[in-house]
Amino acid sequence: MRSTRSATPRCVRCEGGGSVPEPLLSVRDLSVVYETVRGPVTAVDNLQLEVGEGEFAAVVGESGCGKSTLLFAIAGLLNPPARIASGSVLFRGADLVTMTERELNELRWRDYSVVLQSAMNALNPVATLAAQYKDAMVAHGTHTKEEIHARSMEVLRLVGIDPVHLRSYPHQLSGGMRQRAMIAMALLLAPDLVIMDEPTSALDVVAQRSLMVQIKELQQLLGFAVVFVTHDMSLVSHFSDQLLVMYAGQVVEQGPTRTVFDSPSHPYSRGLLEAFPSIRGPRVPLRGIPGSPPDLAAPPPGCRFHPRCPLVFDRCDTVPPALYEVGAAYSRCLLHAPAAREVTS
């Protein structure tokens, strides 16, 4: 197993004017298109993301906003009718977008791994955990029977499962155990990056919390980086270092997690935060976000959130906003455009 690394966020500016370390993962100008009978639909629109060594980056937003499409694009798992229209996905400086399937297969599980949303569907229902772990290890190197068995027991213990369950089939495990078994499989070859697509969505709130705590503890112990996709903004509030809020295929807010939670700068982020209750402070009524997400085949002009925005003004329906710097974060809202700041100052 690799030596322990500190799971601290990637530094933006090193002390003493030192050089900025290269990110482990760098997603640049990424756009993903689905070819449909109505024409191309852009599900991920010109997205930027950098994840450093040992960093925990979370991507949140409503269903259909492009979160899972982004994850599949990063992992090289897109299938027709989806395709990457532009941009790059640099992993340790190598562009995954230009790699062949054979080259990607050499990296998957060994250098980066993926935990899918439904472990019951991701795991082979007619093979034991031992057989599936063996297949993953044999595919990425020569391992003796003893090495495979020892490593399989080790990763199961890491996720809190008794190694006796190596002889179990997926249907013999609870939902939480299946998710932990998938995470254990993702850690078999000690990858540097683990990509997770809503791994807690099928679990109750107690099991969700338990699994999130365990993921964070494993990350701090082993030092791998995480890209975590979820629709539940509250789920990652105490676990992630960096937060991306997506809406209608675009990032509408991006920054340090605590900054986004403590002072959200985009109306959509505020709406998501107001939609779940807090266990601290005075009681406040929960508020939903009126309306529905737009049809990505025909997104509204200007700001894509303007038909649902409580702060909409006259330019919002005609001027597409960029990502504007707001303190330590970035926000895709015309309220933070330089001209708007000059007017309100």
Side-chain angles (χ1 to χ4, degrees):
M1 187 179 294
R2 97 162 55 80
S3 60
T4 303
R5 293 195 300 256
S6 173
T8 54
R10 175 181 56 86
C11 68
V12 177
R13 185 172 304 191
C14 297
E15 294 182 3
S19 60
V20 177
E22 285 294 319
L24 174 70
L25 176 71
S26 180
V27 180
R28 301 176 181 174
D29 305 316
L30 183 68
S31 293
V32 180
V33 168
Y34 284 86
E35 299 294 347
T36 73
V37 294
R38 299 170 59 189
V41 175
T42 302
V44 175
D45 189 0
N46 198 38
L47 187 139
Q48 320 285 335
L49 170 65
E50 287 191 355
V51 182
E53 299 273 359
E55 186 176 9
F56 194 124
V59 183
V60 301
E62 291 173 286
S63 296
C65 71
K67 305 183 305 295
S68 293
T69 298
L70 168 63
L71 181 150
F72 275 67
I74 291 174
L77 296 174
L78 288 175
N79 290 311
R83 63 178 176 84
I84 293 178
S86 61
S88 59
V89 179
L90 303 179
F91 179 70
R92 294 205 175 282
D95 191 356
L96 302 183
V97 173
T98 61
M99 288 187 179
T100 64
E101 189 64 23
R102 182 173 181 178
E103 291 171 330
L104 288 172
N105 284 336
E106 291 178 0
L107 294 179
R108 292 189 191 120
W109 299 109
R110 186 192 68 193
D111 297 284
Y112 72 89
S113 57
V114 183
V115 179
L116 297 175
Q117 184 171 354
S118 174
M120 195 63 202
N121 296 332
L123 291 168
N124 186 340
V126 296
T128 63
L129 295 185
Q132 296 183 62
Y133 290 5
K134 176 184 176 182
D135 288 345
M137 294 190 72
V138 169
H140 291 277
T142 302
H143 302 279
T144 66
K145 182 179 179 180
E146 292 75 18
E147 288 174 336
I148 292 172
H149 186 65
R151 180 60 178 163
S152 298
M153 290 195 299
E154 183 181 10
V155 293
L156 275 188
R157 289 193 184 101
L158 279 174
V159 298
I161 297 178
D162 191 317
V164 70
H165 287 291
L166 282 171
R167 299 193 296 270
S168 297
Y169 291 86
H171 73 272
Q172 295 174 312
L173 306 175
S174 68
M177 290 177 70
R178 287 196 294 267
Q179 288 298 150
R180 286 180 166 85
M182 271 300 301
I183 293 169
M185 189 173 181
L187 300 177
L188 273 173
L189 299 172
D192 294 311
L193 174 66
V194 179
I195 304 169
M196 299 186 176
D197 184 17
E198 302 203 39
T200 65
S201 61
L203 306 179
D204 60 64
V205 291
V206 175
Q208 283 184 355
R209 173 74 182 185
S210 175
L211 186 58
M212 288 301 302
V213 169
Q214 193 156 48
I215 290 170
K216 189 63 179 179
E217 289 175 347
L218 287 170
Q219 185 214 7
Q220 292 174 328
L221 174 66
L222 305 177
F224 55 85
V226 175
V227 176
F228 190 99
V229 168
T230 180
H231 64 275
D232 188 345
M233 200 161 179
S234 64
L235 195 64
V236 294
S237 60
H238 299 292
F239 301 100
S240 67
D241 305 308
Q242 176 188 177
L243 190 64
L244 277 76
V245 182
M246 289 189 68
Y247 182 78
Q250 297 179 328
V251 171
V252 295
E253 186 161 359
Q254 180 173 0
T257 300
R258 289 280 25 113
T259 299
V260 176
F261 269 82
D262 293 342
S263 53
S265 56
H266 195 281
Y268 179 64
S269 303
R270 294 190 204 116
L272 290 179
L273 287 169
E274 291 173 351
F276 72 89
S278 173
I279 61 173
R280 300 182 180 86
R283 283 188 182 184
V284 294
L286 295 181
R287 300 179 183 176
I289 301 175
S292 302
D295 180 0
L296 291 182
C303 172
R304 295 185 178 183
F305 187 60
H306 86 261
R308 308 172 69 190
C309 183
L311 303 179
V312 65
F313 60 98
D314 55 0
R315 296 174 61 223
C316 295
D317 60 353
T318 57
V319 180
L323 273 174
Y324 304 107
E325 189 172 358
V326 185
Y330 291 86
S331 177
R332 192 181 297 277
C333 180
L334 291 174
L335 290 172
H336 304 292
R341 287 197 291 263
E342 288 173 6
V343 170
T344 56
S345 62

